[in-house]
Amino acid sequence: MPARGVPALTTFPYPELDEREEDHWSGAGVSDDELRALSLGAFYSTRWDAFHDAMLLGPERDHPLGDRRELAIDTLTGAWGITDGNEARASMEQLLEGMHAPLYALVHPLVMASVNASERDRFGERADKQRAFLRQVGSFRGMDNPEALVRDYDIWAQAIKIGFTDHLARPLPNDIQAWDLARVVAVARMAFTAGYLEADVAWEYCMRALVPAQRRYRNWRQFGDAYLAGWTYWQATEDLAELKNGGVDRRMELIRLWTRPTSPWRRIELNEPDGKAETEVAEPN
């Protein structure tokens, strides 16, 4: 019987999520901030059944498509068009600058203003004005195809109206920078495993991604919600059918990261706990 006021320990409350492999930890001697940086890409570590605390995408195991290095090369080529270190660096620089996050920052507030309008826009005047505004912004920014912003606007509005964003937190996140930052870590780890980058370069990019993540998000809950909103926005513009099928599955993976005792998001906080730095400074020699 548990002591008074102390809750009894229970098993992980989502047995269907435990069908995946256990979380993998290599025991590598990484610092707290290095672990935080790697944990930005924890969604991918989980999907890849990879170590959470190492740059290399181990542990190795038999796979019909090849070893970890071959799988990393195949993924970088097929999903990213990356075939060497220079291309990996270019992609990560673009992600750090903002690949999808700046587009979402333009489109999402306009869509929400339209969706939440107090009066019905019977003739679509509000939407027409917003589309015209997005065309102007696209032209002003020198986009090759300003109409792409209008396309994103229409698709995102449709996704929200037909319920394809119901797996997201409410209210919907205002930014999706976590989506770009998580992929910095994913590309860095794949590029290192593929042999395209040296370890110090891969670590440099991961640590660079940590800085804006800590500045923008207070905890892993906020980071995960923004990451999923980013994936949803991207997937909506790519394939609405896949969004319908994949959104709930990804939400469940995030619940696993938020709640599973062996998850990296339970092992370390995104930001240094309040007061810890001051306590460390005050300790006597």
Side-chain angles (χ1 to χ4, degrees):
M1 178 179 296
R4 184 183 300 275
V6 179
L9 293 177
T10 60
T11 58
F12 184 62
Y14 300 94
E16 64 273 22
L17 296 183
D18 272 352
E19 294 177 2
R20 297 191 61 85
E21 292 187 18
E22 293 292 323
D23 291 294
H24 292 287
W25 294 90
S26 70
V30 295
S31 69
D32 285 353
D33 276 345
E34 287 172 337
L35 180 55
R36 289 185 177 99
L38 288 175
S39 297
L40 299 178
F43 182 91
Y44 300 101
S45 299
T46 301
R47 280 292 178 98
W48 296 333
D49 295 317
F51 290 132
H52 290 303
D53 58 343
M55 186 63 66
L56 188 70
L57 292 177
E60 195 60 79
R61 77 278 309 281
D62 292 333
H63 193 285
L65 298 180
D67 61 17
R68 287 292 171 129
R69 179 174 182 272
E70 291 169 327
L71 290 172
I73 291 173
D74 183 67
T75 303
L76 286 171
T77 302
W80 289 87
I82 294 173
T83 59
D84 59 32
N86 289 333
E87 292 173 348
R89 289 187 185 91
S91 293
M92 289 186 289
E93 290 291 348
Q94 187 177 0
L95 288 166
L96 287 167
E97 291 175 4
M99 185 176 290
H100 291 106
L103 303 178
Y104 182 87
L106 281 172
V107 169
H108 178 67
L110 297 178
V111 169
M112 294 309 297
S114 177
V115 170
N116 296 326
S118 57
E119 297 181 2
R120 287 287 182 179
D121 183 10
R122 294 178 54 194
F123 304 104
E125 294 179 359
R126 177 191 295 269
D128 287 341
K129 290 179 180 178
Q130 291 174 337
R131 292 187 186 99
F133 170 74
L134 289 172
R135 290 189 185 97
Q136 291 177 340
V137 170
S139 297
F140 178 76
R141 295 191 175 188
M143 294 180 62
D144 293 335
N145 181 19
E147 201 66 28
L149 282 175
V150 176
R151 173 181 172 272
D152 284 6
Y153 171 89
D154 288 335
I155 292 175
W156 189 235
Q158 181 185 12
I160 292 174
K161 290 175 182 177
I162 63 180
F164 281 10
T165 63
D166 288 350
H167 57 277
L168 298 178
R170 291 294 188 275
L172 294 177
N174 291 323
D175 81 90
I176 59 169
Q177 190 176 14
W179 166 240
D180 288 341
L181 298 176
R183 291 182 296 162
V184 172
V185 177
V187 171
R189 295 189 68 185
M190 285 189 291
F192 172 72
T193 303
Y196 295 162
L197 296 178
E198 297 294 331
D200 58 344
V201 176
W203 275 114
E204 177 189 349
Y205 277 101
C206 291
M207 299 307 292
R208 285 175 62 188
L210 179 62
V211 175
Q214 290 179 316
R215 184 169 61 240
R216 187 169 293 271
Y217 307 106
R218 292 196 301 271
N219 50 50
W220 292 120
R221 172 69 65 168
Q222 289 186 352
F223 182 86
D225 283 340
Y227 167 85
L228 186 58
W231 175 84
T232 303
Y233 178 78
W234 167 78
Q235 189 63 70
T237 62
E238 294 289 321
D239 187 343
L240 276 174
E242 179 63 26
L243 172 58
K244 179 181 179 180
N245 298 328
V248 173
D249 175 65
R250 286 186 172 246
R251 182 73 184 182
M252 293 296 283
E253 289 284 8
L254 287 178
I255 292 174
R256 185 180 194 270
L257 284 166
W258 284 325
T259 60
R260 187 180 173 93
T262 55
S263 161
W265 288 2
R266 294 291 300 278
R267 180 165 292 194
I268 195 165
E269 298 179 26
L270 174 58
N271 288 284
E272 193 80 25
D274 292 340
K276 181 175 180 180
E278 289 80 355
T279 300
E280 290 178 347
V281 172
E283 288 179 353
N285 294 332

